[in-house]
Amino acid sequence: MLPTKAVIPVAGLGTRFLPATKVIPKEMLTIVDRPTIQYIVEEVVASGIKEVVLVTASGKSAIEDHFDYSFELETFLAQKGKLDLLNEVRHISRLIEVVSVRQKEPLGLGHAVQVTEQVIGDQPFVVCLGDDLVESEEPCVYQMLKVFEKYQEAVVAVQEVAEEDVRRYGIAEGKEVEPGVYQVERIIEKPEPGMTKSRLAVIGRYILRPEIYDCLKRTLPGIGGEIQLTDALDTLRTERSLYAYKFKGKRFDAGDKLGYLQATVHLALDHPDLGHAFKKYLKEIVARL
Ligand code: UTP
């Protein structure tokens, strides 16, 4: 059985991006010409998933509105004959079926996943973090679904990071069972220096099995006082199995100011209409440095 639903948690406070995120959710900050969350939803749709469960909180309604039908706007654009824009706006409102679940307090990513239990039920599901962007030829989620299809166990996407960055991530240790696929033997959230030799950092893409809910119920607050999905995954791998998959592509942490700038430059260069002019402009800037 393959997942048909993707959970996208967007209930965090986005403190790393203050003051921009005081009123505007970080997932709605624009990268080139669309909000971050739209790139993620487009990745999910390109991977064959049409049902999205948003984990939201107060102040995040702009995200739901973005994927909703806007009668006023569509009527206005139709009347003015602005058909290209109308098609663009319609495309967004028809992309996905959305269900929203409220996370009443930002108690951590693990808790954000936990509150989706009623909606997901007894089936595998995808989790994509609302501020993690992956640029790749083949959508990252699609790559992971192929791994899940083979092993039928939970899969986390990993990338190799520099040793000094290990302490900023959830880190997976394990043995490589085929090129780029690891059977996880331990997974730790933000390890202190010396705690692990692995540099396989978990990024914001997961395929989970419903057993994770039971693991989450038994997970106590960990690093930062939050219920960590990583801790529940460590329980899951002892009771069942967990795989880490080194995805092909480039990941950006758009919830971080530098990561956001890098994503903007990268995606602007790849943009079909803007890429050429932007590249020319960047070359001028670089020449002046
Ligand atoms: P982050 O840790 O990057 O989000 O969580 P944050 O807490 O909003 O960010 P900072 O550190 O304060 O800047 C990754 C994803 O998980 C969601 C966030 O919205 C983000 O998309 N999240 C996090 C929740 O939905 N609930 C939480 O309790 C925590």
Side-chain angles (χ1 to χ4, degrees):
M1 184 184 190
L2 278 175
T4 58
K5 292 189 169 96
V7 169
I8 308 186
V10 294
L13 294 174
T15 55
R16 284 173 296 154
F17 227 129
L18 282 168
T21 47
K22 185 177 172 201
V23 177
I24 300 168
K26 66 174 165 182
E27 298 82 3
M28 286 303 291
L29 296 178
T30 309
I31 297 189
V32 189
D33 61 357
R34 64 200 65 186
T36 304
I37 186 83
Q38 193 178 324
Y39 288 96
I40 294 159
V41 164
E42 281 170 351
E43 178 191 329
V44 162
V45 172
S47 305
I49 291 177
K50 293 278 289 173
E51 291 172 71
V52 168
V53 180
L54 285 177
V55 181
T56 66
S58 62
K60 297 275 182 167
S61 56
I63 300 172
E64 287 148 290
D65 292 347
H66 184 72
F67 294 102
D68 202 357
Y69 170 59
S70 169
F71 173 76
E72 233 180 350
L73 182 60
E74 291 197 15
T75 309
F76 176 83
L77 293 172
Q79 279 170 357
K80 294 279 175 191
K82 299 190 173 194
L83 298 184
D84 283 356
L85 288 176
L86 177 64
N87 286 338
E88 184 81 31
V89 167
R90 272 203 183 137
H91 157 76
I92 303 165
S93 60
R94 291 175 182 174
L95 262 180
I96 43 164
E97 296 300 322
V98 184
V99 173
S100 295
V101 180
R102 213 65 174 187
Q103 186 190 19
K104 292 182 180 157
E105 272 183 90
L107 297 179
L109 177 59
H111 182 253
V113 171
Q114 204 178 337
V115 299
T116 64
E117 184 173 7
Q118 295 290 322
V119 187
I120 296 292
D122 192 24
Q123 56 179 312
F125 59 103
V126 172
V127 176
C128 293
L129 298 195
D131 56 355
D132 243 15
L133 280 179
V134 181
E135 245 244 313
S136 54
E137 252 172 52
E138 194 171 49
C140 182
V141 168
Y142 186 72
Q143 295 176 39
M144 295 173 73
L145 285 170
K146 287 195 283 190
V147 179
F148 180 82
E149 194 170 22
K150 182 164 176 188
Y151 294 94
Q152 294 292 317
E153 296 290 351
V155 184
V156 295
V158 291
Q159 64 178 6
E160 221 156 283
V161 295
E163 203 167 331
E164 62 270 23
D165 291 330
V166 160
R167 51 201 282 277
R168 297 173 46 222
Y169 291 88
I171 298 290
E173 292 172 359
K175 62 170 188 294
E176 199 165 12
V177 289
E178 64 173 288
V181 180
Y182 301 78
Q183 178 148 31
V184 177
E185 286 161 354
R186 184 162 80 133
I187 177 165
I188 348 158
E189 185 64 23
K190 299 192 174 73
E192 294 292 328
M195 269 176 80
T196 178
K197 285 199 175 79
S198 172
R199 293 198 281 123
L200 293 178
V202 179
I203 66 137
R205 299 287 182 274
Y206 310 78
I207 298 184
L208 301 177
R209 297 186 46 94
E211 291 80 4
I212 194 71
Y213 291 116
D214 185 50
C215 300
L216 280 164
K217 279 176 207 147
R218 290 179 276 138
T219 302
L220 299 172
I223 298 265
E226 296 188 346
I227 297 179
Q228 298 288 350
L229 181 58
T230 310
D231 295 341
L233 285 169
D234 199 51
T235 311
L236 186 74
R237 65 101 201 148
T238 58
E239 295 176 2
R240 282 191 70 101
S241 241
L242 175 66
Y243 288 86
Y245 168 66
K246 215 196 261 181
F247 67 98
K248 295 179 187 72
K250 186 159 173 54
R251 172 258 183 184
F252 300 95
D253 180 0
D256 167 79
K257 289 175 188 171
L258 184 61
Y260 176 85
L261 287 173
Q262 290 166 341
T264 303
V265 171
H266 205 91
L267 292 166
L269 285 171
D270 283 350
H271 194 279
D273 302 334
L274 301 167
H276 183 69
F278 186 62
K279 190 175 190 174
K280 197 165 155 249
Y281 176 69
L282 269 191
K283 278 185 175 162
E284 283 167 26
I285 301 253
V286 171
R288 272 191 261 139
L289 290 179

